Amino acid sequence: MKFAIFGTGGVGGYFGGRLVQAGEDVTFIARGNHLSVIQQTGLSVESIRGDFV
């Protein structure tokens, strides 16, 4: 299944990242500061269930 995460902020980034970890095909859509940071450092998530990039 293919997923598109429109608005890759805290919630979209978390759930989209978990979908990627599960092997799903995910496209992230971001703009502004979120886009710049993701392009430079990747999507970074800190969670009580484990951090990931």
Side-chain angles (χ1 to χ4, degrees):
M1 183 177 285
K2 293 183 179 185
F3 294 91
I5 304 297
F6 184 77
T8 308
V11 175
Y14 175 80
F15 286 108
R18 291 294 182 199
L19 286 168
V20 169
Q21 285 185 320
E24 299 295 339
D25 183 8
V26 180
T27 299
F28 293 93
I29 301 168
R31 64 186 178 120
N33 290 338
H34 285 138
L35 176 60
S36 297
V37 171
I38 292 169
Q39 287 175 328
Q40 293 173 9
T41 63
L43 178 64
S44 178
V45 175
E46 295 178 12
S47 168
I48 60 172
R49 293 190 166 213
D51 302 343
F52 59 92
V53 177

